[in-house]
C-alpha cells in the first residue's frame, strides 16, 4: 500500500547542546528529514545543537533533504575520526562492561582537576580547538547564508552575560565554536572584538527568534539534557553532572514558562504576545539520556555516536507515531506544567 499523502506542515526545531550527546539530535533530524510533509523553516541551536543546525541547513541548501542527511553523517564521522587521537578514552574495564562513561579514565580525572585549577589560557595557550578544522571542512558559510532554512545560533557574551543570536549570514566556524565554548576548557572566542562563551548559559536553545522571525507555528524541542533526574546526587561526579544539567536547562525552562503564561493572558489582537501564545510546542527526548552522565559528553567513539543516532531515530519515529497527527493542530508538550 502506498504511503498516505499528508498536507505539508511547517515546523521549527529547537536543538539543545550537550557535547557528543548531540548525536542523539543527529538521529532525530535524520528521521524527520525522511518525512517530505514536514517543512523545516527554521532551526535554533546551541553548542552541539548549533552545529547540527548549521550543518543541516548548509547541506539542505546544497542537496535538499538527502543533502542535509549526508552532511550530518559526514560531520559526525569526522568528529569520531578526530576522537581516535584523543587521550579521552574509556578504560579497558568500561569497554568490557559496555559502559560509555569516562568517569574512570585517569586522563579524564586529571583533565577535570586541571580544568578547575588551571586557566585554559595557561593550559591551552595556542587556543587549539579540535572542532575548528572539521567545521572549516564541513561548512560553506556563503551557501549557508542563502539557505532556505533559517538558523539561529546562541552564544553568551562574556562582557554582559547576555545571549547573542547569530543568523545565517553571520554564521561561520568561529561563531559555532563560540556557541560551544566551555570557559573552563577553552579560551573565549572573540568575534568582532567581543568575547563569547557557551550559549547554554543564556539559552539552550533560544526560542525567541523562532517565535518572532519564523512563519511556522509548531516548534519541536529536541531535548538531550534531562530536566528531571530521580534520586539525590551524592558523589562528586553525580553532583557536578546534575549542576550542569540544571544550569543548562534553566534559560529554556524560563522561556517555556513565559509561553505558558502568555497562553493564559495574551490578547489575541496583541501582535507580540499573540505570536508567543499561539506557538504550538512539542518535545522529543529519550530515557537513555537519564542513564548517561557528564563525562560521556566527551566520548566521541563512532560506536557511541551511532548508538545515540539510532536512539534519536527511534525517539523521532515514536513521536511521529504518537503525535504526528497533532502537528499543525495542537501542542503536545504540557506547557501548563511549567507554571507549577
Amino acid at each position: 500500500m502506498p504511503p498516505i499523502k499528508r498536507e505539508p506542515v511547517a515546523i521549527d526545531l529547537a536543538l539543545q547542546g550537550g557535547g557528543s550527546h548531540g548525536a542523539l539530535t543527529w538521529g532525530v533530524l535524520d528521521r524527520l528529514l525522511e518525512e517530505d510533509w514536514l517543512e523545516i523553516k527554521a532551526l535554533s541551536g546551541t553548542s552541539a545543537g548549533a552545529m547540527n543546525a548549521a550543518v543541516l541547513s548548509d547541506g539542505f541548501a546544497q542537496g535538499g533533504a538527502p543533502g542535509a542527511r549526508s552532511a550530518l553523517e559526514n560531520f559526525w564521522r569526522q568528529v569520531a575520526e578526530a576522537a581516535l587521537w584523543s587521550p579521552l578514552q574509556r578504560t579497558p574495564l568500561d569497554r568490557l562492561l559496555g559502559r560509555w562513561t569516562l568517569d574512570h579514565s585517569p586522563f579524564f580525572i586529571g583533565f577535570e582537576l586541571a580544568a578547575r585549577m588551571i586557566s585554559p589560557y595557561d593550559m591551552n595557550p595556542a587556543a587549539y580547538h579540535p572542532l575548528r578544522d572539521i567545521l572549516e571542512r564541513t561548512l560553506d558559510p556563503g551557501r549557508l547564508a542563502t539557505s532556505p532554512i533559517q538558523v539561529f545560533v546562541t552564544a553568551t557574551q562574556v562582557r554582559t552575560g547576555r545571549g547573542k543570536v547569530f543568523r545565517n549570514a553571520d554564521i561561520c566556524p568561529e561563531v559555532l565554536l563560540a556557541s560551544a565554548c566551555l570557559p573552563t576548557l577553552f579560551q573565549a572566542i572573540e568575534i568582532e572584538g567581543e568575547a563569547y562563551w557557551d550559549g547554554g548559559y543564556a539559552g539552550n536553545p533560544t526560542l525567541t527568534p523562532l517565535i518572532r522571525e519564523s512563519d511556522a507555528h509548531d516548534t519541536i524541542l529536541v531535548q538531550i539534557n534531562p530536566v528531571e533526574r530521580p534520586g539525590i546526587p551524592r558523589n562528586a561526579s553525580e553532583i557536578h553532572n546534575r549542576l550542569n544539567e540544571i544550569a543548562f536547562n534553566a534559560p529554556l525552562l524560563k522561556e517555556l514558562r513565559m509561553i505558558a503564561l502568555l497562553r493564559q493572558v495574551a490578547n489575541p489582537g496583541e501582535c507580540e504576545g499573540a505570536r508567543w501564545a499561539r506557538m504550538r510546542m512539542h518535545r522529543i527526548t529519550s530515557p537513555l539520556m537519564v542513564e548517561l552522565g557528564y563525562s560521556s559528553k566527551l566520548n566521541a567513539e563512532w560506536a557511541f555516536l551511532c548508538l545515540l543516532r539510532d536512539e534519536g531515530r527511534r525517539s523521532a519515529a515514536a513521536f511521529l507515531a504518537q503525535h504526528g497527527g497533532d502537528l499543525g493542530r495542537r501542542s503536545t508538550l504540557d506547557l501548563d506544567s511549567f507554571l507549577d
Side-chain angles (χ1 to χ4, degrees), residues 47-83:
S47 191
M51 296 180 192
N52 275 320
V55 169
L56 184 154
S57 182
D58 181 43
F60 192 92
Q62 184 178 30
R69 296 179 66 197
S70 177
L72 285 165
E73 179 171 355
N74 176 52
F75 170 75
W76 285 101
R77 278 190 180 276
Q78 291 190 62
V79 170
E81 289 169 4

mmCIF file of all heavy atoms in Angstrom, residues 47-83:
data_model
loop_
_atom_site.group_PDB
_atom_site.id
_atom_site.type_symbol
_atom_site.label_atom_id
_atom_site.label_comp_id
_atom_site.label_asym_id
_atom_site.label_seq_id
_atom_site.Cartn_x
_atom_site.Cartn_y
_atom_site.Cartn_z
ATOM 1 N N SER A 47 25.579 25.202 21.001
ATOM 2 C CA SER A 47 26.662 24.242 21.138
ATOM 3 C C SER A 47 26.520 23.138 20.075
ATOM 4 O O SER A 47 26.473 23.426 18.893
ATOM 5 C CB SER A 47 26.664 23.683 22.562
ATOM 6 O OG SER A 47 27.830 22.950 22.823
ATOM 7 N N ALA A 48 26.431 21.870 20.490
ATOM 8 C CA ALA A 48 26.276 20.792 19.506
ATOM 9 C C ALA A 48 24.991 20.956 18.705
ATOM 10 O O ALA A 48 24.925 20.595 17.528
ATOM 11 C CB ALA A 48 26.281 19.437 20.213
ATOM 12 N N GLY A 49 23.960 21.524 19.346
ATOM 13 C CA GLY A 49 22.716 21.791 18.625
ATOM 14 C C GLY A 49 22.912 22.812 17.533
ATOM 15 O O GLY A 49 22.312 22.721 16.457
ATOM 16 N N ALA A 50 23.768 23.811 17.781
ATOM 17 C CA ALA A 50 24.069 24.823 16.775
ATOM 18 C C ALA A 50 24.802 24.198 15.595
ATOM 19 O O ALA A 50 24.549 24.537 14.425
ATOM 20 C CB ALA A 50 24.899 25.938 17.390
ATOM 21 N N MET A 51 25.719 23.292 15.885
ATOM 22 C CA MET A 51 26.464 22.629 14.809
ATOM 23 C C MET A 51 25.549 21.750 13.976
ATOM 24 O O MET A 51 25.618 21.750 12.741
ATOM 25 C CB MET A 51 27.624 21.837 15.399
ATOM 26 C CG MET A 51 28.650 22.735 16.080
ATOM 27 S SD MET A 51 30.045 21.844 16.783
ATOM 28 C CE MET A 51 30.789 23.165 17.769
ATOM 29 N N ASN A 52 24.670 21.004 14.640
ATOM 30 C CA ASN A 52 23.688 20.208 13.892
ATOM 31 C C ASN A 52 22.827 21.104 13.005
ATOM 32 O O ASN A 52 22.552 20.772 11.851
ATOM 33 C CB ASN A 52 22.788 19.442 14.870
ATOM 34 C CG ASN A 52 23.380 18.130 15.330
ATOM 35 O OD1 ASN A 52 23.982 17.401 14.554
ATOM 36 N ND2 ASN A 52 23.221 17.820 16.603
ATOM 37 N N ALA A 53 22.402 22.239 13.545
ATOM 38 C CA ALA A 53 21.533 23.152 12.797
ATOM 39 C C ALA A 53 22.242 23.715 11.576
ATOM 40 O O ALA A 53 21.690 23.732 10.471
ATOM 41 C CB ALA A 53 21.065 24.284 13.712
ATOM 42 N N ALA A 54 23.470 24.194 11.763
ATOM 43 C CA ALA A 54 24.205 24.805 10.662
ATOM 44 C C ALA A 54 24.536 23.783 9.588
ATOM 45 O O ALA A 54 24.408 24.062 8.386
ATOM 46 C CB ALA A 54 25.478 25.457 11.192
ATOM 47 N N VAL A 55 24.959 22.598 10.003
ATOM 48 C CA VAL A 55 25.306 21.552 9.032
ATOM 49 C C VAL A 55 24.076 21.125 8.242
ATOM 50 O O VAL A 55 24.128 20.945 7.023
ATOM 51 C CB VAL A 55 25.954 20.353 9.754
ATOM 52 C CG1 VAL A 55 26.080 19.158 8.810
ATOM 53 C CG2 VAL A 55 27.328 20.737 10.296
ATOM 54 N N LEU A 56 22.940 20.964 8.932
ATOM 55 C CA LEU A 56 21.697 20.585 8.238
ATOM 56 C C LEU A 56 21.303 21.642 7.218
ATOM 57 O O LEU A 56 21.013 21.327 6.055
ATOM 58 C CB LEU A 56 20.570 20.371 9.253
ATOM 59 C CG LEU A 56 19.224 19.885 8.725
ATOM 60 C CD1 LEU A 56 18.447 19.141 9.801
ATOM 61 C CD2 LEU A 56 18.346 21.014 8.172
ATOM 62 N N SER A 57 21.280 22.895 7.634
ATOM 63 C CA SER A 57 20.849 23.970 6.739
ATOM 64 C C SER A 57 21.772 24.096 5.533
ATOM 65 O O SER A 57 21.320 24.268 4.397
ATOM 66 C CB SER A 57 20.792 25.289 7.514
ATOM 67 O OG SER A 57 20.333 26.334 6.697
ATOM 68 N N ASP A 58 23.069 23.991 5.770
ATOM 69 C CA ASP A 58 24.041 24.070 4.679
ATOM 70 C C ASP A 58 23.873 22.897 3.730
ATOM 71 O O ASP A 58 23.880 23.061 2.497
ATOM 72 C CB ASP A 58 25.447 24.091 5.279
ATOM 73 C CG ASP A 58 26.525 24.192 4.215
ATOM 74 O OD1 ASP A 58 26.361 24.988 3.269
ATOM 75 O OD2 ASP A 58 27.538 23.483 4.323
ATOM 76 N N GLY A 59 23.721 21.687 4.273
ATOM 77 C CA GLY A 59 23.525 20.510 3.430
ATOM 78 C C GLY A 59 22.234 20.573 2.648
ATOM 79 O O GLY A 59 22.173 20.158 1.485
ATOM 80 N N PHE A 60 21.180 21.122 3.278
ATOM 81 C CA PHE A 60 19.891 21.259 2.587
ATOM 82 C C PHE A 60 20.019 22.230 1.425
ATOM 83 O O PHE A 60 19.431 22.005 0.355
ATOM 84 C CB PHE A 60 18.828 21.743 3.575
ATOM 85 C CG PHE A 60 17.420 21.642 3.058
ATOM 86 C CD1 PHE A 60 16.658 20.515 3.306
ATOM 87 C CD2 PHE A 60 16.856 22.662 2.305
ATOM 88 C CE1 PHE A 60 15.357 20.401 2.816
ATOM 89 C CE2 PHE A 60 15.557 22.568 1.821
ATOM 90 C CZ PHE A 60 14.811 21.435 2.075
ATOM 91 N N ALA A 61 20.768 23.304 1.615
ATOM 92 C CA ALA A 61 20.953 24.280 0.537
ATOM 93 C C ALA A 61 21.659 23.654 -0.659
ATOM 94 O O ALA A 61 21.424 24.034 -1.808
ATOM 95 C CB ALA A 61 21.749 25.476 1.054
ATOM 96 N N GLN A 62 22.486 22.663 -0.391
ATOM 97 C CA GLN A 62 23.243 22.021 -1.465
ATOM 98 C C GLN A 62 22.472 20.897 -2.137
ATOM 99 O O GLN A 62 22.527 20.744 -3.359
ATOM 100 C CB GLN A 62 24.560 21.471 -0.921
ATOM 101 C CG GLN A 62 25.468 20.871 -1.988
ATOM 102 C CD GLN A 62 26.774 20.385 -1.406
ATOM 103 O OE1 GLN A 62 26.828 19.971 -0.242
ATOM 104 N NE2 GLN A 62 27.839 20.445 -2.192
ATOM 105 N N GLY A 63 21.718 20.114 -1.348
ATOM 106 C CA GLY A 63 21.088 18.941 -1.943
ATOM 107 C C GLY A 63 19.777 18.535 -1.331
ATOM 108 O O GLY A 63 19.438 17.338 -1.319
ATOM 109 N N GLY A 64 19.005 19.498 -0.802
ATOM 110 C CA GLY A 64 17.712 19.166 -0.228
ATOM 111 C C GLY A 64 17.851 18.260 0.987
ATOM 112 O O GLY A 64 18.918 18.181 1.617
ATOM 113 N N ALA A 65 16.788 17.525 1.302
ATOM 114 C CA ALA A 65 16.799 16.652 2.477
ATOM 115 C C ALA A 65 17.893 15.583 2.400
ATOM 116 O O ALA A 65 18.597 15.347 3.389
ATOM 117 C CB ALA A 65 15.425 16.014 2.673
ATOM 118 N N PRO A 66 18.094 14.925 1.233
ATOM 119 C CA PRO A 66 19.194 13.952 1.163
ATOM 120 C C PRO A 66 20.555 14.606 1.419
ATOM 121 O O PRO A 66 21.424 14.020 2.067
ATOM 122 C CB PRO A 66 19.095 13.401 -0.262
ATOM 123 C CG PRO A 66 17.676 13.624 -0.658
ATOM 124 C CD PRO A 66 17.278 14.915 -0.003
ATOM 125 N N GLY A 67 20.738 15.813 0.909
ATOM 126 C CA GLY A 67 21.991 16.521 1.138
ATOM 127 C C GLY A 67 22.193 16.859 2.598
ATOM 128 O O GLY A 67 23.311 16.791 3.118
ATOM 129 N N ALA A 68 21.112 17.210 3.297
ATOM 130 C CA ALA A 68 21.197 17.519 4.720
ATOM 131 C C ALA A 68 21.557 16.275 5.526
ATOM 132 O O ALA A 68 22.400 16.327 6.431
ATOM 133 C CB ALA A 68 19.874 18.099 5.208
ATOM 134 N N ARG A 69 20.936 15.141 5.194
ATOM 135 C CA ARG A 69 21.236 13.900 5.908
ATOM 136 C C ARG A 69 22.682 13.475 5.690
ATOM 137 O O ARG A 69 23.378 13.050 6.625
ATOM 138 C CB ARG A 69 20.283 12.797 5.456
ATOM 139 C CG ARG A 69 18.813 13.057 5.789
ATOM 140 C CD ARG A 69 17.933 11.922 5.294
ATOM 141 N NE ARG A 69 18.233 10.691 6.009
ATOM 142 C CZ ARG A 69 17.880 9.482 5.585
ATOM 143 N NH1 ARG A 69 17.229 9.340 4.438
ATOM 144 N NH2 ARG A 69 18.186 8.408 6.288
ATOM 145 N N SER A 70 23.142 13.609 4.454
ATOM 146 C CA SER A 70 24.524 13.250 4.137
ATOM 147 C C SER A 70 25.513 14.161 4.863
ATOM 148 O O SER A 70 26.536 13.703 5.385
ATOM 149 C CB SER A 70 24.741 13.329 2.625
ATOM 150 O OG SER A 70 26.081 13.056 2.283
ATOM 151 N N ALA A 71 25.213 15.454 4.918
ATOM 152 C CA ALA A 71 26.101 16.408 5.578
ATOM 153 C C ALA A 71 26.212 16.115 7.070
ATOM 154 O O ALA A 71 27.302 16.203 7.662
ATOM 155 C CB ALA A 71 25.599 17.831 5.347
ATOM 156 N N LEU A 72 25.095 15.769 7.695
ATOM 157 C CA LEU A 72 25.111 15.457 9.124
ATOM 158 C C LEU A 72 25.956 14.213 9.398
ATOM 159 O O LEU A 72 26.766 14.195 10.338
ATOM 160 C CB LEU A 72 23.693 15.246 9.641
ATOM 161 C CG LEU A 72 22.856 16.512 9.833
ATOM 162 C CD1 LEU A 72 21.384 16.166 9.998
ATOM 163 C CD2 LEU A 72 23.353 17.308 11.047
ATOM 164 N N GLU A 73 25.786 13.189 8.594
ATOM 165 C CA GLU A 73 26.590 11.975 8.801
ATOM 166 C C GLU A 73 28.069 12.266 8.591
ATOM 167 O O GLU A 73 28.921 11.794 9.357
ATOM 168 C CB GLU A 73 26.139 10.858 7.860
ATOM 169 C CG GLU A 73 26.979 9.600 8.042
ATOM 170 C CD GLU A 73 26.452 8.394 7.291
ATOM 171 O OE1 GLU A 73 25.368 8.491 6.688
ATOM 172 O OE2 GLU A 73 27.134 7.348 7.319
ATOM 173 N N ASN A 74 28.394 13.029 7.572
ATOM 174 C CA ASN A 74 29.786 13.378 7.297
ATOM 175 C C ASN A 74 30.399 14.133 8.474
ATOM 176 O O ASN A 74 31.536 13.869 8.881
ATOM 177 C CB ASN A 74 29.865 14.227 6.030
ATOM 178 C CG ASN A 74 31.276 14.708 5.744
ATOM 179 O OD1 ASN A 74 32.222 13.920 5.699
ATOM 180 N ND2 ASN A 74 31.424 16.006 5.541
ATOM 181 N N PHE A 75 29.645 15.069 9.045
ATOM 182 C CA PHE A 75 30.146 15.846 10.178
ATOM 183 C C PHE A 75 30.455 14.935 11.365
ATOM 184 O O PHE A 75 31.549 15.001 11.949
ATOM 185 C CB PHE A 75 29.119 16.910 10.584
ATOM 186 C CG PHE A 75 29.441 17.599 11.882
ATOM 187 C CD1 PHE A 75 30.450 18.549 11.946
ATOM 188 C CD2 PHE A 75 28.747 17.277 13.049
ATOM 189 C CE1 PHE A 75 30.761 19.173 13.153
ATOM 190 C CE2 PHE A 75 29.047 17.904 14.254
ATOM 191 C CZ PHE A 75 30.063 18.850 14.308
ATOM 192 N N TRP A 76 29.509 14.088 11.732
ATOM 193 C CA TRP A 76 29.712 13.250 12.915
ATOM 194 C C TRP A 76 30.769 12.180 12.679
ATOM 195 O O TRP A 76 31.479 11.782 13.620
ATOM 196 C CB TRP A 76 28.385 12.636 13.360
ATOM 197 C CG TRP A 76 27.517 13.647 14.047
ATOM 198 C CD1 TRP A 76 26.455 14.330 13.525
ATOM 199 C CD2 TRP A 76 27.684 14.140 15.384
ATOM 200 N NE1 TRP A 76 25.945 15.212 14.449
ATOM 201 C CE2 TRP A 76 26.668 15.118 15.597
ATOM 202 C CE3 TRP A 76 28.570 13.854 16.415
ATOM 203 C CZ2 TRP A 76 26.538 15.792 16.810
ATOM 204 C CZ3 TRP A 76 28.437 14.527 17.624
ATOM 205 C CH2 TRP A 76 27.433 15.473 17.802
ATOM 206 N N ARG A 77 30.936 11.713 11.447
ATOM 207 C CA ARG A 77 32.037 10.783 11.141
ATOM 208 C C ARG A 77 33.390 11.450 11.375
ATOM 209 O O ARG A 77 34.320 10.843 11.915
ATOM 210 C CB ARG A 77 31.943 10.292 9.697
ATOM 211 C CG ARG A 77 30.980 9.143 9.490
ATOM 212 C CD ARG A 77 31.115 8.542 8.111
ATOM 213 N NE ARG A 77 30.195 7.446 7.918
ATOM 214 C CZ ARG A 77 30.416 6.196 8.301
ATOM 215 N NH1 ARG A 77 31.569 5.877 8.909
ATOM 216 N NH2 ARG A 77 29.527 5.256 8.078
ATOM 217 N N GLN A 78 33.489 12.708 10.962
ATOM 218 C CA GLN A 78 34.745 13.425 11.165
ATOM 219 C C GLN A 78 35.022 13.663 12.647
ATOM 220 O O GLN A 78 36.170 13.627 13.090
ATOM 221 C CB GLN A 78 34.717 14.756 10.406
ATOM 222 C CG GLN A 78 34.754 14.595 8.900
ATOM 223 C CD GLN A 78 34.981 15.924 8.204
ATOM 224 O OE1 GLN A 78 36.005 16.572 8.391
ATOM 225 N NE2 GLN A 78 34.011 16.344 7.398
ATOM 226 N N VAL A 79 33.963 13.912 13.417
ATOM 227 C CA VAL A 79 34.131 14.059 14.868
ATOM 228 C C VAL A 79 34.695 12.766 15.465
ATOM 229 O O VAL A 79 35.626 12.789 16.282
ATOM 230 C CB VAL A 79 32.791 14.420 15.539
ATOM 231 C CG1 VAL A 79 32.897 14.328 17.056
ATOM 232 C CG2 VAL A 79 32.356 15.819 15.125
ATOM 233 N N ALA A 80 34.158 11.625 15.040
ATOM 234 C CA ALA A 80 34.620 10.332 15.554
ATOM 235 C C ALA A 80 36.054 10.047 15.123
ATOM 236 O O ALA A 80 36.859 9.513 15.905
ATOM 237 C CB ALA A 80 33.694 9.221 15.075
ATOM 238 N N GLU A 81 36.392 10.387 13.890
ATOM 239 C CA GLU A 81 37.758 10.156 13.407
ATOM 240 C C GLU A 81 38.758 10.994 14.189
ATOM 241 O O GLU A 81 39.848 10.526 14.529
ATOM 242 C CB GLU A 81 37.836 10.471 11.915
ATOM 243 C CG GLU A 81 37.113 9.445 11.048
ATOM 244 C CD GLU A 81 36.957 9.898 9.604
ATOM 245 O OE1 GLU A 81 37.488 10.989 9.254
ATOM 246 O OE2 GLU A 81 36.312 9.178 8.828
ATOM 247 N N ALA A 82 38.395 12.243 14.496
ATOM 248 C CA ALA A 82 39.283 13.102 15.283
ATOM 249 C C ALA A 82 39.444 12.560 16.699
ATOM 250 O O ALA A 82 40.518 12.675 17.311
ATOM 251 C CB ALA A 82 38.736 14.526 15.310
ATOM 252 N N ALA A 83 38.385 11.943 17.223
ATOM 253 C CA ALA A 83 38.417 11.441 18.606
ATOM 254 C C ALA A 83 39.339 10.234 18.760
ATOM 255 O O ALA A 83 39.732 9.897 19.887
ATOM 256 C CB ALA A 83 37.007 11.072 19.056
#
